[in-house]
Amino acid sequence: VSDFFFPGMGGVEAHIYMLSQCLIKRKHKVIVISRAYGNRTGVRYMTNGLKVYYIPLAVFQLPSGRVSFPTLFGSFPVFRNIVLRERVQIVHGHQACSSLSHECMMHGKSMGLKVCFTDHSLMGLADASSIHVNKILQFSLRCVDHCICVSHISKENLVLRAGLNAAKVSVIPNAVDASILTPNPRKRSPDRITIVIMSRLVYRKGTVLLVEVLPEILKRHSNVDVIIGGDGPDRQMIEEMIDKSPHSRTH
């Protein structure tokens, strides 16, 4: 369950789709519940019979994207109907900014289902939007059976923001399909190491950590080059780091 799914584009959308496909290959039944995207409403089918419910809900704009308007109980009648029809046993919510996932996790637990939550991004502790999201997390995640984060830094961030027991949170890094994304070793320089970073340049993706770590790496290792691809509010911060660093080999 998440407000973020195809035809929207992003890491959460791709993660949910690929996770669904892997679970289907292991003979599990998987359905996706998301908000409507324009005229894409109702039930649609994707690869390998993945069933997607696009619920027509009012939406509003957040920095992370458009999400359904939080109503607490507005989605419950439709969600309950889907759960009973599909004989759902586990509700898996994705992304802290998705109000639909929080509502459905709460409703799922009230119906006696197992509930899991995956957080994909880092968030702050001091700005207004982060304070509100973190308060919602502290309330919402009290009902989940387990949480998943995509990195150890993300786990520390979630435990701190939501006041969770660290034993209740597992780390499962995002995977790379090596059978599809296989570099050509003949084009690799024997003397140089190239670090490639592709991301939206926003706080939740860890750009602050990037600015602190990269100059130290380049200072210690003269054979390292860095390539950064992406855009966002923190682009200027990255460019300033490149201009100020005397050891900069960043493009």
Side-chain angles (χ1 to χ4, degrees):
V1 183
S2 181
D3 282 300
F4 307 102
F5 192 62
F6 296 146
M9 295 301 296
V12 179
E13 291 86 344
H15 176 101
I16 295 173
Y17 174 78
M18 295 306 298
L19 175 62
S20 300
Q21 294 300 318
C22 290
L23 289 172
I24 289 173
K25 287 181 180 180
R26 295 177 69 90
K27 308 303 181 184
H28 296 287
K29 179 181 179 181
V30 182
I31 65 167
V32 175
I33 302 175
S34 187
R35 63 172 179 86
Y37 281 78
N39 61 354
R40 188 183 285 252
T41 61
V43 179
R44 302 293 178 96
Y45 288 89
M46 302 183 75
T47 309
N48 293 325
L50 174 61
K51 193 174 184 179
V52 185
Y53 287 87
Y54 291 98
I55 304 175
L57 299 169
V59 298
F60 70 105
Q61 185 69 40
L62 285 179
S64 56
R66 294 170 67 86
V67 300
S68 57
F69 192 84
T71 59
L72 204 60
F73 293 102
S75 60
F76 179 64
V78 177
F79 175 76
R80 179 180 180 276
N81 184 284
I82 294 172
V83 166
L84 296 178
R85 178 189 301 173
E86 303 291 347
R87 298 181 179 179
V88 172
Q89 295 175 302
I90 301 174
V91 177
H92 190 174
H94 288 263
Q95 192 65 327
C97 298
S98 171
S99 52
L100 180 62
S101 68
H102 290 300
E103 291 181 16
C104 291
M105 287 191 298
M106 181 187 70
H107 299 323
K109 197 63 179 179
S110 69
M111 297 177 67
L113 305 176
K114 295 293 184 181
V115 177
C116 178
F117 173 73
T118 295
D119 198 16
H120 296 260
S121 305
L122 300 174
M123 293 195 70
L125 299 168
D127 58 287
S129 61
S130 296
I131 290 172
H132 287 296
V133 171
N134 294 341
K135 285 297 183 183
I136 293 171
L137 276 177
Q138 291 173 11
F139 170 78
S140 174
L141 298 189
R142 289 297 174 270
C143 70
V144 303
D145 295 289
H146 204 75
C147 295
I148 300 170
C149 290
V150 296
S151 69
H152 290 282
I153 291 296
S154 177
K155 174 180 176 178
E156 293 177 10
N157 184 257
L158 180 64
V159 167
L160 185 62
R161 286 156 50 211
L164 294 172
N165 182 347
K168 199 177 180 180
V169 185
S170 298
V171 176
I172 304 178
N174 288 326
V176 175
D177 190 342
S179 64
I180 300 175
L181 302 172
T182 305
N184 187 345
R186 290 178 295 179
K187 294 183 178 181
R188 184 182 303 160
S189 171
D191 305 317
R192 309 292 300 175
I193 297 174
T194 302
I195 300 173
V196 180
I197 301 160
M198 300 294 291
S199 170
R200 284 185 291 122
L201 303 180
V202 296
Y203 176 84
R204 293 186 297 108
K205 297 300 181 181
T207 51
V208 175
L209 298 175
L210 204 61
V211 168
E212 294 179 359
V213 170
L214 280 183
E216 189 65 26
I217 292 175
L218 294 172
K219 179 181 177 181
R220 294 187 182 188
H221 305 281
S222 59
N223 63 331
V224 171
D225 300 310
V226 180
I227 299 175
I228 300 176
D231 200 356
D234 290 349
R235 176 175 176 172
Q236 184 177 356
M237 186 190 306
I238 299 291
E239 292 175 343
E240 290 176 356
M241 176 205 70
I242 295 172
D243 294 337
K244 292 179 181 179
S245 175
H247 307 279
S248 180
R249 295 180 299 281
T250 307
H251 309 281

